[in-house]
Amino acid sequence: MRIVIAGGHGQIALRLERLLAARGYEVAGIIRKREQGDDLREVGAEPVLCDLESASLEQVAAVLQGAGAAVFAAGAGPGSGVERKDTVDRGAAVLFADAAERAGVRRYIVVSSMGADAKHPGDEVFDAYLRAKGEADEYVKTRLGLDWTILRPGSLTNDAGTGLVRLEAATGRGPVSRDDVAAVLSELIDTPATAGLTLELISGSKPVAVALKDVAGN
């Protein structure tokens, strides 16, 4: 199965690409800068040059053609302002969802954020980020052609993954390693029974596979 990841050079995406490639998947990561390509090749992914802030629906749908799953893991990044929170964290997410639907890619995973809320108040950049993520999540939920799952991790760390997590509709705030987020994402792709769920993720005591089975009702 081919899996396409938006934001392919992100810290979580690179970890996810390595995991998926090791499991034998054909993995493509969408990047904005050609020089990022070697990092993707190093983890076993095919780099695809495409700027989601300027690409057309048809261009993105062409990238997604033939994929079995799509993962939106793009973000404007910590140094960006309010405008790019809208163009990337909301706009690119909406475009990627529309493109997946156009290309017939049903399995669709969103890397969102704890606290994402379209009605989140406040004037700071982080407030705009939470609103943008919330608006994107709400849009994805309206797409009848997508079997979507929205994952909202807690505070991200670069600690080594433990493989032990807490994954529920509401976990409360807490940290989680990027390693463990990637591990959960890789399992979500293969767990279609989580379609239609919005899940929060923090470090916990359950092995990833067990946590997935619990939320999927298996």
Side-chain angles (χ1 to χ4, degrees), residues 4-17 28-30 52 70-77 88-89 92-93 96 108-112 129 133 151 153 156 181-182 185:
V4 179
I5 301 172
H9 195 256
Q11 295 186 68
I12 290 172
L14 286 168
R15 288 166 167 83
L16 176 59
E17 287 155 1
I30 296 175
L52 293 176
V71 180
F72 185 83
V88 179
D89 293 290
F96 198 61
Y108 191 85
I109 313 293
V110 178
V111 183
S112 185
Y129 167 74
K133 295 296 282 186
L151 184 67
L156 297 169
V181 175
L185 288 168

Side-chain angles (χ1 to χ4, degrees), residues 5-96:
I5 301 172
H9 195 256
Q11 295 186 68
I12 290 172
L14 286 168
R15 288 166 167 83
L16 176 59
E17 287 155 1
R18 187 187 296 276
L19 288 175
L20 293 173
R23 291 169 62 174
Y25 289 110
E26 180 188 340
V27 187
I30 296 175
I31 55 174
R32 286 193 309 122
K33 300 176 182 176
R34 192 175 300 278
E35 59 268 26
Q36 296 171 334
D38 286 345
D39 291 336
L40 272 73
R41 294 185 191 96
E42 189 177 317
V43 299
E46 169 203 353
V48 177
L49 200 61
C50 180
D51 187 343
L52 293 176
E53 286 182 272
S54 59
S56 69
L57 174 61
E58 289 72 21
Q59 287 172 322
V60 183
V63 172
L64 283 158
Q65 200 67 45
V71 180
F72 185 83
S80 58
V82 170
E83 183 177 336
R84 292 201 70 230
K85 301 305 183 194
D86 183 66
T87 58
V88 179
D89 293 290
R90 185 202 59 78
V94 166
L95 173 64
F96 198 61

Side-chain angles (χ1 to χ4, degrees), residues 84-157:
R84 292 201 70 230
K85 301 305 183 194
D86 183 66
T87 58
V88 179
D89 293 290
R90 185 202 59 78
V94 166
L95 173 64
F96 198 61
D98 285 345
E101 207 169 23
R102 172 74 64 91
V105 183
R106 290 206 65 93
R107 190 70 180 117
Y108 191 85
I109 313 293
V110 178
V111 183
S112 185
S113 175
M114 187 85 71
D117 181 354
K119 294 186 172 68
H120 180 83
D123 301 319
E124 300 298 320
V125 173
F126 190 66
D127 298 323
Y129 167 74
L130 291 178
R131 278 195 297 275
K133 295 296 282 186
E135 288 170 12
D137 291 354
E138 291 304 314
Y139 183 80
V140 167
K141 291 177 184 179
T142 69
R143 310 325 298 159
L144 300 179
L146 301 179
D147 295 329
W148 55 265
T149 303
I150 295 169
L151 184 67
R152 293 178 170 173
S155 302
L156 297 169
T157 75

